[in-house]
Amino acid sequence: MPATPLVLALLLLLLAAGPRPVAPASTDRAALLAFRASLSPPSRAALSSWHGPLSASWLGVSLHPPAAAAVAAPPSVASLALQGLNLSGPLPAPSLALLRRLRELDLSANALFGELPCSLPRSLVDLDLSRNALSGAIPTCLPASLPALRTLNLSSNSLGFPLSPWFSFSSRLVALDFSSNALSGAVPPRIVADPDASSLLLLDLSHNRFSGEIPAGITAIRSLQGLFLADNQLSGEIPPGIGNLTYLQALDLSHNRLSGLVPAGLAGCFQLLYLRLGGNQLSGALRPELDALDSLKVLDLSNNRISGEIPLPLAGCRSLEVVILSGNEITGELSGAVAKWQSLRSLSLADNQLSGQLPDWMFSFPVLQWLDLSGNRFEGFIPDGGFNASSVLNGAGGGQGIPSGGMISPQLFVSASVDSTGQQLELGYDLRAAPGIDLSTNLLHGEIPEGLVAMKGLEYLNLSCNYLAGQIPAGLGGMGRLRTLDFSHNGLSGEVPPVIAAMTELEALNLSYNSLSGPLPTTDGLRKFPGALAGNPGICGGEGCTMDATMPEGKISGNNHHGWLSDWHGENGWVSLGAFSISTMTSFFVSLATLLCSSKARNFVFRPARIEY
């Protein structure tokens, strides 16, 4: 049951009333019990029974100065942390305004609704109202009404409407987070009143509806360490002055409508750890100046129109751990620069125009977790080596599996927060990906290497839509964690290894459209994969099956895609080839005898053709 607005307001009034004459120690205990009772929620009687001084032992309340300090001034509330208590109703602004020395207010993760007031305590330094249901506009008076504000977090609410173009905070502001709302219009040109004197480290306006260009004024806030404008409707080019942000460590402009080149000025952000520009309309070749980003850990330029080759200077980015260049127009062969990324955890070059053979070092990254080279023009053999290099792919841990067969693409989450000193961002990222390899939709041929199916940590393996031949390696049965296996649309032959039917973790299987033959494994493990063997006419199943018998396409899947003799079957299987031959020869000789013995038949067959003009 949520706490009512009246109860919260009464609690704030009691706190604002200040200390009363000191009561016995048992009174402090009663006050503590009453306050704790108020969290679930309190009764009016519990609040009215409160007596005695404010206690620093109260959960979520701290005093200024501390109650134990030997000072003459009476203590007052300095901090109020009531996050995650399912409090509901409008924000009790009049009651909060009575806490004239309140410095920290955290009401996050509740169910507060209504509009933001302008009457909050002017003494506030840190304000967190995130993850509530606040709505309406962010009032223009907010910056002026909170002159001492250092951090402001209004993320994950339902706030909307454009921000005023005169919306700006004082130079004291360190972190501003308006993410995950419905704010629209242009980004204010001056987030802070004086960019040169600003202390702003974090600006997060992501997941809103901002449109227009990125204002050049943002690139003048040289103190910025984290800039997040992702998932908006921003257009135009990335400001060339972005390189002025020499302290910048995280830049996320992904999923907007930005165009033009990836600016060479980014090299000026030499402390950059995370660069995410995916999901835009950026074009042109990667600039060699990116070599200066030798601290870069995450590079995401996916789903743009970037062309050219992977430049050799990227070899200088030896700290790279996640590289996502999928969905572009990159050409050429894989450069040896990639082999320098020995900290690589995830590499996606899918859906480009890369060609040539896969290099021998392709699987030699020691902490590799995800490799996606699908949708290119790679040819030749899958290199048979380096498979034992990655501790994650060989089952030593480090991967976070994804449910439903790992079919979801890896997900990347970058987080940022200000440390306790207020002078540095704490940055990190979370890579959620099942350990997997995807080489599908290329021009690869030859056999599947034994070493590839010996990776005991693999959960996802996709080699479909190539020209692979030979048999399915029997060593596949050792992949105890495998949940998705796709070898479809190749030229694989031989029998289906019985070990596949015994793989208990397997959730998705596709061996369709190959040249597999022979009887199916006698266990029931394949029954949960309907259609997995469609397009293999040599596969045989059911009672009375022999090595020479065949099964129609789609028999396993239970669909209606049968062969051209789909109606010619007996009780236990297909009609034999001998019976079919006898029937055909008999029909031929009967027709020949009729032709020779019947004059009408001869006249009909050999009558002269009439040509009409």
Side-chain angles (χ1 to χ4, degrees), residues 513-528:
Y513 297 97
N514 279 284
S515 298
L516 301 172
S517 60
L520 291 176
T522 55
T523 59
D524 295 335
L526 294 179
R527 291 187 178 180
K528 61 180 180 179

Side-chain angles (χ1 to χ4, degrees), residues 452-469:
L452 182 59
V453 298
M455 293 183 173
K456 297 185 185 231
L458 268 183
E459 298 181 18
Y460 179 93
L461 180 59
N462 191 347
L463 305 179
S464 64
C465 300
N466 280 287
Y467 297 93
L468 300 174

Side-chain angles (χ1 to χ4, degrees), residues 35-379:
F35 183 79
R36 288 182 175 173
S38 72
L39 302 181
S40 59
S43 65
R44 185 177 302 202
L47 286 173
S48 62
S49 65
W50 174 78
H51 295 285
L54 298 174
S55 173
S57 65
W58 289 4
L59 179 66
V61 177
S62 62
L63 303 180
H64 177 80
V71 293
S76 59
V77 178
S79 174
L80 192 59
L82 301 176
Q83 68 272 22
L85 299 179
N86 202 25
L87 302 172
S88 66
L91 198 64
S95 302
L96 284 169
L98 297 177
L99 302 176
R100 301 184 183 278
R101 302 185 69 184
L102 187 65
R103 294 174 56 85
E104 299 175 2
L105 176 61
D106 186 351
L107 297 177
S108 61
N110 283 293
L112 301 174
F113 55 83
E115 298 185 355
L116 283 170
C118 291
S119 56
L120 295 173
R122 291 177 62 85
S123 57
L124 275 175
V125 173
D126 300 306
L127 176 59
D128 190 347
L129 300 176
S130 63
R131 292 175 291 164
N132 279 286
L134 300 173
S135 59
I138 298 179
T140 307
C141 62
L142 190 63
S145 64
L146 300 174
L149 207 58
R150 187 184 67 133
T151 65
L152 176 58
N153 190 348
L154 301 178
S155 64
S156 301
N157 279 283
S158 300
L159 299 168
F161 303 99
L163 294 176
S164 169
W166 296 281
F167 193 87
S168 64
F169 287 86
S170 72
S171 59
R172 297 181 180 180
L173 192 69
V174 172
L176 178 64
D177 190 347
F178 288 170
S179 63
S180 300
N181 280 285
L183 300 172
S184 59
V187 177
R190 298 178 69 87
I191 297 293
V192 292
D194 186 358
D196 294 330
S198 174
S199 302
L200 192 63
L201 303 180
L202 172 63
L203 176 59
D204 192 346
L205 303 179
S206 61
H207 299 276
N208 279 286
R209 301 172 186 171
F210 288 112
S211 58
E213 297 186 356
I214 300 174
I218 287 183
T219 65
I221 309 175
R222 297 178 182 268
S223 58
L224 272 179
Q225 295 182 16
L227 176 58
F228 297 86
L229 301 176
D231 289 277
N232 281 287
Q233 302 169 20
L234 299 172
S235 58
E237 298 186 358
I238 300 174
I242 196 73
N244 296 332
L245 305 179
T246 55
Y247 296 103
L248 198 64
Q249 298 181 42
L251 176 62
D252 191 347
L253 306 179
S254 60
H255 302 289
N256 280 286
R257 301 170 183 173
L258 300 174
S259 57
L261 302 174
V262 177
L266 276 172
C269 308
F270 58 89
Q271 298 189 50
L272 208 57
L273 300 175
Y274 308 99
L275 176 59
R276 304 194 65 186
L277 304 177
N280 282 287
Q281 301 170 16
L282 301 173
S283 58
L286 292 179
R287 307 296 295 269
E289 289 86 354
L290 294 177
D291 179 56
L293 305 178
D294 55 1
S295 298
L296 198 63
K297 290 185 177 181
V298 172
L299 175 63
D300 180 3
L301 303 176
S302 61
N303 298 313
N304 280 286
R305 301 171 184 170
I306 295 174
S307 57
E309 300 184 359
I310 299 177
L312 289 175
L314 279 180
C317 305
R318 300 195 177 190
S319 299
L320 279 170
E321 298 177 5
V322 178
V323 178
I324 311 174
L325 301 177
S326 55
N328 281 288
E329 301 171 4
I330 301 174
T331 58
E333 299 185 4
L334 273 181
S335 166
V338 178
K340 306 290 185 182
W341 304 337
Q342 285 299 296
S343 299
L344 200 62
R345 295 179 57 197
S346 177
L347 173 63
S348 178
L349 302 174
D351 299 316
N352 278 285
Q353 301 171 21
L354 294 165
S355 59
Q357 297 188 352
L358 294 180
D360 294 337
W361 44 261
M362 199 66 254
F363 304 100
S364 62
F365 301 100
V367 291
L368 187 66
Q369 179 176 340
W370 177 263
L371 176 64
D372 189 354
L373 304 179
S374 62
N376 282 285
R377 301 173 183 172
F378 291 115
E379 57 187 7

